Amino acid sequence: MPQHSIHAVTAAAALVCLTAAGPSPGAPAPGAPTPGATTPAAPAARFVPGPCPEPPEPIEALDGARCGRLEVPENRSRPDGRTIKLSVAVIPALDPAKPAREPVVFMAGGPGADTFDDIPFLVDSGLNKDRELIIMAQRGNLYDEPNLACPEIDRFNERAVGLGYDSDEAEQLMLKAVKDCRGRLTAAGVDLNAYNTTENAADFADLRKALNVRQWNVYGYSYGSNLALTYLRLHPEGIRAFAIDSITPPQHVTLPWTWASTAEGIDNIIEACAAQPACKNRYPDFRRTLTEQVRRLEARPLTLDVAPPGGGEPVKVVLDGGALLNLIVAFTPRPEDLPAALDELSRGNPERFAKARAAGSVQKTGEFAHGLTQSVVCSEWAPGHTQTDVLNAGRKVYPGWPDTVLAEVPQLPFQYPACGIWNVQDRAAAQRLPTVSPVPALVISGTFDVKTGASWAKDVARNLSRSTSVLVPGIGHWVVPQSPCAQSVLASFFARPTAPDTGCVDDVEPKPFTIIPD
């Protein structure tokens, strides 16, 4: 969990807001159908051709695309409710002479990330080399109506770099930002209970029919893998081949789960360093150094004035234990630079981490759909557990770390207070289900993934009876754009879903770690 650069698809920095208004978690939303009652059919979805979105930074692939909006019910249990509009682009195959019959439909991470921002990565990875690539912004995303952006939270994130990561001041400011965003969205008539993975999946099912696509191939990463698995479970018709990357398994994802997932990726980075003689000899205490620096900074945070990586005036930065851990989870610095960065930090040079923290002071305000993040997290990932469960999960994997760090979900601090404010229905029972399917599947993971640990893919693959699993060494979150081997495997899978060529994986090794003079 998915700010866009390849590799920090984070699901927002945290949110919060307490209000007595709205139904309590688990209660039917106002106007929801009574259990057992007959629900009228929702109106049919329709695709309306129209102009392509115009991102701030032009996307070349959109120049020749067919675009429009998919109009669907906001809440399919309320057929008389309003309609929402989701932005769609159909990007042609690069080889127009012999395009493959079945297109690829993409499901982005987040939840809440700008899907159109991913197009250059997808094109560079060859997704539209010989077949059409279909892009749809998930409900509530940028270029949709409504857009569940929360500029209030973006502005908090800009300010948060100068606060303690888990400080009381940060919590109160975050809660206010979430409360303000929720109030604004609900005042505009947004039904926050309708922004969930089940409705998201139904949107894609409607899209296939509205575009008159008989069969297509599915590719999703991070939260998009969770959405894709839900889609496959609920709407299996029309799916020719199914590929997921950096798996977020619906049956396992809870907020405490994030600690085991994060620890697995960090452990794999540490073990890869130990397997390279130069790294092992230069950084023999990698694991201990990490623990020492988290503890030291949490006890005595550093406050510095640092210029953001893109330039500009220096900003105040607070670097504490929670900030250090979350920079690592966000792949800043990159895994191959992590031992060197921690060694420098231990010797009094925090520059790499401080500049990475300062980068957060520059946000693309209004581009990330924090509202979708909150609705999914609070209805599907948070229920059934408490902040104490998060703390205990953290203590299990990092028993020597401060409780103040372990009490916060990696990349989602203050999430339980946030959910108390966002106040949406509990959908855990409907969502935390395995997907069992005979559709040919490809399951791709990276060993350095500290957001969605690679081992969690095994349980998913066991339920996909015709699946091929690929574990790519030395790659973090969202494997395909970072690995030419993974791109080759994915292309061969879509060409021959039951017999992909995975031979290149055996030759992949992690990059050499950065070695600085002792």
Side-chain angles (χ1 to χ4, degrees):
M1 297 127 312
Q3 109 229 322
H4 247 72
S5 78
I6 230 161
H7 294 163
V9 174
T10 65
L15 343 202
V16 268
C17 57
L18 279 173
T19 175
S24 60
T34 303
T38 301
T39 302
R46 66 175 187 142
F47 177 74
V48 180
C52 292
E54 297 182 4
E57 298 179 10
I59 296 173
E60 184 178 351
L62 290 177
D63 291 345
R66 294 182 289 114
C67 294
R69 297 282 189 89
L70 181 72
E71 297 182 358
V72 295
E74 182 177 48
N75 189 329
R76 289 174 172 82
S77 70
R78 299 178 184 174
D80 297 330
R82 71 175 183 173
T83 296
I84 62 175
K85 300 176 181 180
L86 313 182
S87 286
V88 177
V90 181
I91 299 170
L94 290 176
D95 182 0
K98 293 183 178 180
R101 181 181 305 168
E102 303 88 0
V104 177
V105 64
F106 172 65
M107 299 183 181
D114 169 16
T115 306
F116 281 76
D117 198 28
D118 288 335
I119 291 174
F121 298 127
L122 299 170
V123 171
D124 289 347
S125 299
L127 267 292
N128 70 321
K129 181 179 179 181
D130 60 358
R131 59 183 76 238
E132 288 184 332
L133 172 63
I134 299 175
I135 302 294
M136 181 168 72
Q138 295 164 24
R139 53 175 48 213
N141 277 11
L142 186 64
Y143 309 121
D144 289 345
E145 294 181 14
N147 173 9
L148 269 61
C150 292
E152 303 89 343
I153 294 173
D154 294 323
R155 289 190 288 270
F156 163 76
N157 289 339
E158 291 177 342
R159 184 175 176 184
V161 302
L163 305 172
Y165 185 83
D166 48 33
S167 66
D168 290 342
E169 184 180 6
E171 179 175 4
Q172 293 308 310
L173 289 172
M174 170 61 84
L175 289 170
K176 183 180 186 307
V178 176
K179 181 179 180 179
D180 290 347
C181 180
R182 187 188 195 280
R184 179 176 52 77
L185 292 176
T186 55
V190 175
D191 178 1
L192 296 177
N193 284 297
Y195 293 81
N196 58 63
T197 306
T198 297
E199 293 282 6
N200 252 342
D203 294 339
F204 280 90
D206 282 343
L207 177 66
R208 184 183 67 83
K209 296 172 185 175
L211 294 180
N212 294 314
V213 174
R214 189 179 70 84
Q215 276 196 320
W216 62 13
N217 306 289
V218 173
Y219 171 58
Y221 87 97
S222 192
Y223 168 71
S225 72
N226 187 303
L227 171 56
L229 286 161
T230 303
Y231 172 62
L232 177 60
R233 175 171 60 86
L234 297 177
H235 307 279
E237 59 279 359
I239 302 176
R240 170 182 176 266
F242 177 85
I244 46 178
D245 181 336
S246 304
I247 319 306
T248 307
Q251 67 267 43
H252 295 305
V253 175
T254 62
L255 294 183
W257 166 85
T258 57
W259 272 115
S261 201
T262 290
E264 179 184 347
I266 292 176
D267 285 349
N268 286 344
I269 296 171
I270 293 171
E271 290 169 7
C273 174
Q276 292 183 12
C279 191
K280 179 180 180 180
N281 292 335
R282 178 63 184 82
Y283 311 112
D285 299 319
F286 185 175
R287 189 183 303 274
R288 186 177 71 182
T289 301
L290 172 60
T291 293
E292 287 176 348
Q293 294 312 303
V294 169
R295 295 176 66 177
R296 180 178 70 85
L297 288 175
E298 192 68 1
R300 295 182 298 279
L302 295 176
T303 301
L304 312 104
D305 290 324
V306 184
E313 292 297 316
V315 296
K316 175 186 173 185
V317 163
V318 172
L319 192 59
D320 57 12
L324 178 63
L325 179 277
N326 280 273
L327 289 170
I328 293 170
V329 175
F331 298 99
T332 50
R334 303 290 299 174
E336 61 267 23
D337 296 325
L338 182 57
L342 285 170
D343 183 78
E344 289 171 342
L345 181 62
S346 71
R347 296 167 185 265
N349 178 8
E351 182 178 0
R352 294 192 202 227
F353 288 109
K355 286 191 77 68
R357 180 84 161 132
S361 67
V362 181
Q363 297 282 321
K364 294 182 177 180
T365 303
E367 293 191 14
F368 195 96
H370 296 282
L372 176 60
T373 305
Q374 287 306 299
S375 284
V376 170
V377 170
C378 295
S379 67
E380 298 172 13
W381 301 356
H385 296 277
T386 65
Q387 194 151 358
T388 299
D389 295 326
V390 172
L391 174 60
N392 289 335
R395 286 171 173 170
K396 185 175 180 179
V397 294
Y398 291 119
W401 287 21
D403 281 356
T404 48
V405 174
L406 301 176
E408 301 300 337
V409 180
Q411 300 222 300
L412 291 169
F414 320 124
Q415 192 57 60
Y416 279 101
C419 288
I421 291 163
W422 204 253
N423 202 14
V424 288
Q425 291 174 262
D426 179 344
R427 300 195 66 263
Q431 181 60 24
R432 292 181 196 162
L433 297 170
T435 297
V436 179
S437 175
V439 171
L442 178 66
V443 180
I444 307 171
S445 302
T447 59
F448 285 4
D449 192 341
V450 295
K451 297 174 184 289
T452 55
S455 68
W456 296 95
K458 295 177 182 177
D459 195 31
V460 170
R462 276 194 292 266
N463 290 317
L464 303 175
S465 60
R466 300 168 72 194
S467 65
T468 299
S469 293
V470 173
L471 180 62
V472 184
I475 300 295
H477 200 63
W478 198 11
V479 177
V480 166
Q482 302 178 74
S483 169
C485 175
Q487 293 167 20
S488 173
V489 172
L490 183 62
S492 74
F493 171 70
F494 286 145
R496 299 176 302 279
T498 57
D501 182 356
T502 63
C504 64
V505 179
D506 294 337
D507 298 324
V508 176
E509 294 183 357
K511 293 179 182 178
F513 285 87
T514 300
I515 306 299
I516 57 175
D518 193 344

